[in-house]
Amino acid sequence: MTGRRVKAAGGALVLTLTAGGLIWGLGLRGDDSGEEPADTCRGALAAEEAETFFGGAELEFGGHTAEWVGQETEYCAAWARGEEAGGVQLKLNIRPSAAHRSSGAAENASATPIGFGWNGSFAASRQAEAGVLVDCAALPGDGLLVLAEADQDIEELTDAQVLQVARFATESARRAAKRFDCEGELGQRPSAVDRTPWRTRPVAEAEGTCRDVVRPQDADRLRLTTVSEKPAGRALTEECSVTLPDEDHHVRLTAYYGPSAEQERYLDGRYPGSVTGAVMESHLCDGALWVAYFKFEEFPRPDREKGVRSTVGHQDAERLLAAFAQASGARHGCPVP
């Protein structure tokens, strides 16, 4: 969920999660735990990747199935046998892409592309989280969404364990895709994760999510000098920030795909005041990416009552958004005219 609406939506979301039968943070220890990975997530949990994460320790597994946003969703976890309650767990969530609410790494604009041929995101902030999306016509929303996380502070994980979170997600997705007879192309087992932080660069040197967004003539006329960007690829949410001349003034361009797009469109409809002055456009993609959603926002937000004026005209906003949508869409195999 984007930070601008956490206060507005947070309370209602927690209540809904509780009604749905699970809050991620409560964990799964003791809930139908079994000694075999086949007992959990119907055999989709990549036990060998979990074993590597835990250094070869013997594991215990647990999980259950519940309804989430009207869709059957599977939750399971692995942990080292004999660990005290509250110990580290590797958690897995398997759902149809139509169950778009609360999609972890998939909706995190600070995530990097998981890469290696996957439509997916890897987030390395407080915890290590990963999410991949696979085309799957048999499932509601035409997609399979697999989310994974390690419920421990990322600073307490080794680099090898952080990589294992990504592998746990992709290899569990591979098993789940086989079970659901998904037709989508699958990527490779990751050999690395990109933990590159936000980078601030001159406009002309943009090479990540801001590449090919600001034309030289627009930069000169609007006095745009720097961008803040993440690595470009096929993350399920992408963002590019462009600095405006006035102090603490900037433009945010965001691309949302699959469940991430559905989540953002839902929030925009529920809290229309949060997108006052924004420019949005949507484009149809193939498969689970479905409708890509692109958004231009200026900060501070234009507000006549507070005397805040926009410094970017509507035509300029549309032009920046169109360039961003074309560049991002091309990376995702979703041509934007």
Side-chain angles (χ1 to χ4, degrees):
M1 182 182 301
T2 52
R4 61 189 170 80
R5 282 177 291 210
V6 167
K7 289 184 179 179
L13 183 55
V14 169
L15 291 174
T16 306
L17 279 166
T18 305
L22 178 101
I23 297 179
W24 226 186
L26 292 182
L28 293 166
R29 190 183 306 277
D31 293 342
D32 302 324
S33 59
E35 295 185 357
E36 300 296 332
D39 294 338
T40 60
C41 286
R42 300 173 188 171
L45 185 147
E48 66 283 359
E49 304 295 354
E51 289 170 358
T52 301
F53 176 91
F54 287 105
E58 288 190 75
L59 302 183
E60 294 185 46
F61 306 90
H64 67 270
T65 300
E67 186 176 288
W68 178 233
V69 198
Q71 305 296 333
E72 184 176 84
T73 301
E74 298 169 46
Y75 306 90
C76 56
W79 59 89
R81 180 169 295 173
E83 278 285 319
E84 297 294 328
V88 182
Q89 293 187 31
L90 268 183
K91 297 181 177 180
L92 188 67
N93 179 203
I94 300 173
R95 61 171 85 164
S97 61
H100 59 85
R101 299 289 304 282
S102 187
S103 297
E107 63 185 49
N108 188 337
S110 293
T112 55
I114 204 166
F116 298 93
W118 296 93
N119 282 322
S121 303
F122 186 83
S125 49
R126 188 176 65 86
Q127 294 180 329
E129 299 178 316
V132 294
L133 182 66
V134 179
D135 291 349
C136 199
L139 294 176
D142 291 335
L144 169 70
L145 178 64
V146 176
L147 305 172
E149 68 171 61
D151 68 343
Q152 183 170 5
D153 191 309
I154 194 170
E155 298 301 325
E156 298 178 14
L157 300 178
T158 66
D159 289 344
Q161 284 179 309
V162 172
L163 172 59
Q164 280 307 118
V165 175
R167 289 173 168 174
F168 182 60
T170 61
E171 302 319 293
S172 295
R174 193 182 309 280
R175 295 180 179 210
K178 182 178 181 180
R179 195 183 87 210
F180 286 110
D181 292 324
C182 298
E183 75 284 0
E185 183 177 350
L186 303 178
Q188 303 300 311
R189 181 173 181 260
S191 60
V193 289
D194 191 342
R195 299 174 65 178
T196 304
W198 289 96
R199 299 292 193 196
T200 299
R201 296 186 171 96
V203 167
E205 297 176 15
E207 60 182 40
T209 50
C210 292
R211 183 176 180 179
D212 297 327
V213 172
V214 182
R215 302 182 306 173
Q217 56 268 43
D218 290 329
D220 291 342
R221 186 165 44 78
L222 298 173
R223 294 187 295 151
L224 308 177
T225 58
T226 59
V227 298
S228 183
E229 60 180 1
K230 293 287 283 187
R234 286 158 55 186
L236 298 173
T237 303
E238 289 193 323
E239 183 176 308
C240 163
S241 179
V242 184
T243 303
L244 294 172
D246 295 339
E247 187 177 359
D248 297 325
H249 206 177
H250 69 282
V251 161
R252 183 171 71 193
L253 298 156
T254 317
Y256 306 90
Y257 296 89
S260 172
E262 286 303 289
Q263 168 78 346
E264 193 66 13
R265 286 155 61 94
Y266 163 81
L267 290 171
D268 285 353
R270 184 168 183 178
Y271 307 104
S274 68
V275 290
T276 300
V279 179
M280 290 86 78
E281 61 179 64
S282 299
H283 295 279
L284 185 63
C285 302
D286 292 332
L289 293 180
W290 200 38
V291 179
Y293 189 45
F294 304 98
K295 185 184 297 186
F296 168 101
E297 298 169 280
E298 186 175 345
F299 298 92
R301 292 188 176 281
D303 190 325
R304 292 181 181 178
E305 294 182 1
K306 296 181 180 179
V308 179
R309 292 187 175 185
S310 173
T311 60
V312 181
H314 189 76
Q315 288 186 336
D316 286 321
E318 288 184 330
R319 185 159 47 249
L320 288 172
L321 182 61
F324 175 69
Q326 288 174 350
S328 180
R331 289 191 289 270
H332 290 77
C334 177
V336 175

